[in-house]
Amino acid sequence: MKKKFNKIKAIGKQIFLIKDEFTETPSGIILLGKKGTNLPPYSGTIVVVGDSVEDPDYKEGVRVLYHDFAGFEFEHGGQKYYSVREKDVAAIIEKNVTVQ
């Protein structure tokens, strides 16, 4: 028997992403998960792009930085997503580049 999944589609200029994971200590210190990266917790990987997003560089699999008060979190199919508007994306994180 085939398993059916509900697909989620972003509309307009919305971008759905999966936030990068980080650990925060009880005293509020953020411990980043990947050795050698100095990124704030406001980064994630794009999984869905709305049909009105103008920048062609915003596509599935691209890691981005977004503004700290942008968007909202929601859950769909057991996965947590974060929704931001195209204008709230601050930068694309390119592979093999150290951000300081």
Side-chain angles (χ1 to χ4, degrees):
M1 184 165 102
K2 291 186 178 181
K3 195 172 185 180
K4 292 186 179 181
F5 294 97
N6 290 326
K7 184 177 178 182
I8 190 161
K9 180 180 177 182
I11 58 172
K13 295 189 177 214
Q14 291 299 120
I15 296 173
F16 297 164
L17 50 91
I18 296 176
K19 292 169 70 170
D20 288 343
E21 292 186 24
F22 66 95
T23 304
E24 188 171 341
T25 66
S27 61
I29 298 171
I30 295 174
L31 305 173
L32 299 172
K34 295 180 182 174
K35 184 176 180 181
T37 57
N38 297 316
L39 299 175
Y42 310 114
S43 62
T45 303
I46 295 175
V47 291
V48 181
V49 178
D51 53 359
S52 296
V53 170
E54 296 173 8
D55 192 327
D57 291 332
Y58 298 157
K59 53 190 166 207
E60 184 178 335
V62 172
R63 289 189 63 227
V64 295
L65 292 177
Y66 55 90
H67 294 287
D68 55 349
F69 292 112
F72 61 92
E73 190 172 76
F74 67 95
E75 189 171 324
H76 177 74
Q79 173 69 51
K80 287 186 179 180
Y81 296 97
Y82 201 74
S83 175
V84 297
R85 295 173 293 190
E86 178 180 19
K87 70 179 187 174
D88 291 326
V89 174
I92 292 175
I93 302 170
E94 296 186 5
K95 293 180 182 178
N96 301 322
V97 176
T98 302
V99 178
Q100 296 185 12

